[in-house]
Amino acid sequence: MSTTTLQSLQLTDEQQTLVNTVREFADTVVAPAAYEYDTKRELPYDIIAQMGEMGLFGLPFPEQYGGRGKDYFQLCLAVEQLGRVDQSIGVTLEAGVGLGAMPIYRSGSEAQKAEHLPDLASGRHLAGFGLTEAEAGSDAGATQTTARLEGDEWVINGTKQFITNSGTQITKLVTVTAVTGESTRPDGSVKKELTAIIVPNGTPGFVVEPAYDKVGWHTSDTHPLTLTEVRVPAANLLGERGRGFANFIQTLDEGRVAFAALATGAAQGCLEEAMRYAKSRNVFGRPIGSNQHIAFQIARMESRVHMARLAYYDAALKLVNGQPFKKEASLAKMISSEAAMENARMATQIFGGYGFMNANPVARHYRDSKVLELGEGSTEVQLMIIARELGFDTFR
Ligand SMILES: Cc1cc2nc3c(=O)[nH]c(=O)nc-3n(C[C@H](O)[C@H](O)[C@H](O)COP(=O)(O)OP(=O)(O)OC[C@H]3O[C@@H](n4cnc5c(N)ncnc54)[C@H](O)[C@@H]3O)c2cc1C
């Protein structure tokens, strides 16, 4: 490995300052409120507003759109620190930027960027990305929602499910994918033309159904959506007609890197809690961490965090440097989510009975971490992508 590559994995002073600032905010503002909001199953709007004032939602966007002019790596660093103490807050930022605002920044017209990005980059508003449907999850190309062009309007019909940030008090829009046509391939099979369309909140026929009763991520906002004869201007087309599939693949590739940062933060949070408790909890007259078994488990937790962080730094640096990062994003997403789940399991074990109490942060990580192995492409989907990048035909 070249010296240049090694140096690139060291944080700059600016990056380290961001980490320190968000870490302190996470410890002093987010963590103390996490149990209360988790129990209420409410998004803490005051905390989201403070994150907006800190510029976290604008990190990767240019200043001309109300952003901070930083990059996607800095977004990841912020997400990691929030995910360490509260995954729901971490994913609200990750999905708000990575899934909500980023497609508009990457594919939007100048008018769309000017209209939406200042609101999203400031955290005054959130946006969702509606891809998943009952019959289109891992196989996202199987979308059944349709959009037909009538005059200068798109008319959208269908349902979406599990859409993050789609029903908050500050949700401005959801970008939905829809079938806008079909063509026949040379082998006779039908190819769907998928297109992304911006649907503003409050559009008649666009119904945000009641929130899910989830196992974890209680504070994060997740809803099914129903679209019945929803009419939006033709100008709400996001990117080119028929490029919806390519655009959401790009969105998901990028999103997985920030998602990996979130999972790395969760794994780190479990490690920190377990270390603290193993040093302070006395059983049989000595700290439980004096038992080699417990210390070795904590050493394993540290090794998982280390691998997860290296994996997402690598993917993020390739992303911001314009290098191919698809395989690295999937590796990072899979490694980090498994690290979070395993560290959450081990941390609850180390806490004994108290680890089973909801007020304990590791109990929340235990409930929250499972979805890290499912959202933004399950572990199996990451394996499909990695295998395909290695030359195997796995998408069947
Ligand atoms: C809390 C939460 C938030 C979410 N937020 C969003 C959002 O904001 N926007 C959005 O569009 N979606 C969102 N999702 C949806 C999420 O991306 C999907 O749940 C995920 O992609 C899996 O799709 P599915 O649930 O339909 O599972 P399925 O596709 O039905 O898969 C079921 C199981 O089969 C496995 N599987 C499928 N195909 C294969 C195969 N070929 N080989 C081996 N195994 C396979 C899967 O890995 C999985 O374990 C969210 C989900 C949750 C739970």
Side-chain angles (χ1 to χ4, degrees):
M1 191 181 279
S2 74
T3 310
T4 312
T5 311
L6 277 173
Q7 281 176 344
S8 71
L9 288 173
Q10 302 295 321
L11 298 187
T12 63
D13 289 347
E14 181 185 86
Q15 291 161 347
Q16 190 60 54
T17 300
L18 174 74
V19 168
N20 296 346
T21 305
V22 182
R23 185 179 176 95
E24 190 187 344
F25 173 74
D27 285 341
T28 57
V29 176
V30 181
Y35 175 52
E36 179 192 340
Y37 284 100
D38 186 75
T39 309
K40 288 186 188 163
R41 300 188 176 216
E42 270 178 30
L43 188 64
Y45 291 99
D46 58 326
I47 290 178
I48 300 301
Q50 288 179 67
M51 288 160 58
E53 283 161 20
M54 290 168 73
L56 302 186
F57 288 92
L59 281 170
F61 304 116
E63 290 172 12
Q64 72 180 105
Y65 302 120
R68 292 293 164 122
K70 306 304 178 190
D71 61 23
Y72 207 85
F73 184 43
Q74 293 214 15
L75 170 70
C76 292
L77 294 174
V79 168
E80 181 191 336
Q81 289 309 317
L82 295 169
R84 190 173 55 83
V85 301
D86 189 337
Q87 293 187 38
S88 287
I89 297 298
V91 75
T92 301
L93 175 64
E94 185 274 327
V97 176
L99 301 182
M102 196 51 90
I104 294 174
Y105 175 59
R106 291 267 182 244
S107 309
S109 63
E110 273 310 315
Q112 288 168 337
K113 291 182 198 178
E115 183 181 353
H116 299 303
L117 284 180
D119 279 340
L120 302 179
S122 65
R124 284 192 299 274
H125 287 281
L126 291 168
F129 184 68
L131 174 65
T132 304
E133 300 180 4
E135 302 302 328
S138 303
D139 184 6
T143 301
Q144 293 182 354
T145 294
T146 60
R148 63 178 195 277
L149 201 51
E150 270 188 20
D152 59 359
E153 288 181 331
W154 289 105
V155 186
I156 310 168
N157 283 284
T159 58
K160 297 287 174 180
Q161 64 181 19
F162 307 144
I163 309 306
T164 303
N165 289 342
S166 60
T168 73
Q169 294 168 15
I170 55 172
T171 298
K172 187 176 188 198
L173 60 95
V174 178
T175 299
V176 300
T177 50
V179 180
T180 48
E182 284 181 356
S183 57
T184 307
R185 295 191 184 92
D187 66 2
S189 63
V190 173
K191 183 177 181 227
K192 289 180 174 176
E193 177 191 86
L194 288 181
T195 299
I197 301 172
I198 296 171
V199 180
N201 199 19
T203 306
F206 176 46
V207 177
V208 179
E209 305 286 356
Y212 291 99
D213 178 14
K214 304 192 294 279
V215 168
W217 281 13
H218 285 163
T219 307
S220 165
D221 177 86
T222 325
H223 297 263
L225 307 174
T226 306
L227 300 102
T228 310
E229 292 288 290
V230 172
R231 289 178 175 270
V232 297
N236 283 22
L237 172 74
L238 185 62
E240 285 173 50
R241 178 175 178 159
R243 291 284 300 163
F245 191 80
N247 289 346
F248 77 60
I249 293 292
Q250 183 188 14
T251 297
L252 292 178
D253 284 347
E254 280 189 1
R256 279 170 192 141
V257 182
F259 201 91
L262 172 68
T264 301
Q268 173 76 35
C270 292
L271 169 68
E272 290 175 15
E273 289 295 323
M275 282 175 60
R276 182 180 59 73
Y277 198 67
K279 287 175 182 171
S280 62
R281 170 69 171 170
N282 288 315
V283 179
F284 295 113
R286 59 188 188 138
I288 54 172
S290 304
N291 298 294
Q292 201 177 58
H293 175 78
I294 301 277
F296 278 12
Q297 292 297 352
I298 289 176
R300 283 213 179 275
M301 293 169 75
E302 164 72 11
S303 73
R304 289 185 201 107
V305 172
H306 189 71
M307 284 190 292
R309 188 172 292 115
L310 287 179
Y312 101 69
Y313 275 25
D314 178 43
L317 291 171
K318 286 195 165 78
L319 190 170
V320 298
N321 289 325
Q323 296 165 346
F325 67 96
K326 181 185 265 296
K327 183 180 74 178
E328 288 76 10
S330 285
L331 285 167
K333 202 269 174 182
M334 184 178 76
I335 290 167
S336 60
S337 56
E338 290 182 348
M341 191 68 239
E342 197 54 32
N343 278 12
R345 197 177 73 80
M346 190 45 62
T348 52
Q349 188 70 17
I350 286 171
F351 270 86
Y354 185 51
F356 199 59
M357 299 300 124
N358 276 323
N360 188 328
V362 302
R364 194 171 61 254
H365 275 306
Y366 186 80
R367 287 188 282 103
D368 287 351
S369 293
K370 182 61 215 170
V371 72
L372 296 168
E373 297 182 315
L374 297 168
E376 296 200 28
S378 63
T379 298
E380 290 77 14
V381 165
Q382 307 316 316
L383 288 167
M384 280 189 227
I385 294 169
I386 296 162
R388 191 171 68 167
E389 290 291 305
L390 295 173
F392 295 93
D393 182 14
T394 53
F395 272 86
R396 284 169 196 278

